[in-house]
Amino acid sequence: MENIQIVRAVPNEIEQLQKIGRQTFQETFSASNSEENMKTYLEEGFSSEKLTAELNNINSEFYFAKSNNEVIGYLKINFGASQTELKDNKALEIERIYVSKEFHGKNVGQLLYSKAIEIAKDKNFNYVWLGVWEENLRAISFYKKNGFVEFDKHIFKLGDDEQTDIMMKLML
């Protein structure tokens, strides 16, 4: 396997973020959702305006996984008030870890995950939490393997479809 670099994304890399975000979300969820709901979510969730605001938010950070200068996956983490749910100043939220399908099983997700844990420890957070779709068994298995435990559920809206996310936590 070629060398994978994990690098922080900066605001002028919005096009790469938009591309990898839309690609990996579609690869992960299109088979389980309607075309209309996917189209709406991809347009709104990965719009230039939304991603620009997120990239410029001091309480959110994006990291790219790169192979031969090509973005093959990414990580989004949130702190404090930017967290989607808990808003706990002693916690880090992993909002997204996505890897291009052709790189599944090649340790890229683990490298992105390790970056999030490294940041959480550097910032002296007590725990890391996330939400994962109850039907995304691959992701649930990945997080359980890394020591996460379920602690709650919440609703994630994809277009007009309300889906249940399992909330998971790892004490540091």
Side-chain angles (χ1 to χ4, degrees):
M1 180 76 217
E2 60 274 9
N3 196 24
I4 306 291
Q5 296 85 41
I6 306 299
V7 295
R8 183 152 179 199
V10 294
N12 70 353
E13 295 176 308
I14 191 153
E15 288 178 14
Q16 292 102 307
L17 180 59
Q18 193 172 51
K19 180 180 178 215
I20 194 67
R22 286 179 171 159
Q23 174 195 330
T24 55
F25 194 87
Q26 190 151 22
E27 287 173 349
T28 305
F29 300 114
S30 63
S32 305
N33 291 283
S34 75
E35 191 175 324
E36 186 59 36
N37 282 342
M38 285 296 294
K39 183 175 183 279
T40 300
Y41 186 83
L42 291 172
E43 285 175 4
E44 293 172 4
F46 297 97
S47 71
S48 296
E49 299 76 22
K50 185 172 191 304
L51 292 177
T52 297
E54 291 176 342
L55 274 166
N56 288 310
N57 181 340
I58 61 166
N59 289 315
S60 293
E61 295 177 1
F62 287 88
Y63 291 85
F64 287 142
K66 289 185 172 186
S67 173
N68 298 321
N69 284 327
E70 176 193 355
V71 177
I72 59 170
Y74 77 106
L75 161 71
K76 181 183 183 205
I77 55 176
N78 299 312
F79 322 105
S82 291
Q83 294 175 77
T84 57
E85 190 104 0
L86 299 183
K87 318 250 190 253
D88 185 341
N89 287 326
K90 295 182 177 93
L92 176 141
E93 175 192 17
I94 296 175
E95 185 176 349
R96 299 183 198 138
I97 293 181
Y98 286 101
V99 175
S100 175
K101 202 169 214 157
E102 69 182 283
F103 288 91
H104 283 186
K106 297 185 176 173
N107 209 35
V108 180
Q110 192 69 45
L111 290 170
L112 290 164
Y113 166 80
S114 294
K115 182 66 175 178
I117 298 303
E118 172 191 319
I119 292 166
K121 288 179 177 178
D122 286 349
K123 293 182 180 280
N124 293 314
F125 288 127
N126 293 340
Y127 63 98
V128 176
W129 73 275
L130 54 88
V132 58
W133 187 30
E134 65 183 353
E135 293 184 30
N136 190 346
L137 302 180
R138 179 185 179 100
I140 292 167
S141 174
F142 173 83
Y143 291 116
K144 283 184 174 177
K145 180 186 84 172
N146 280 288
F148 278 76
V149 295
E150 297 177 24
F151 73 94
D152 204 352
K153 294 182 178 190
H154 69 184
I155 299 299
F156 175 83
K157 276 192 73 99
L158 186 81
D160 62 7
D161 188 21
E162 288 191 353
Q163 301 178 352
T164 301
D165 276 1
I166 296 169
M167 294 172 67
M168 303 180 81
K169 177 188 294 192
L170 173 72
M171 299 306 294
L172 298 176

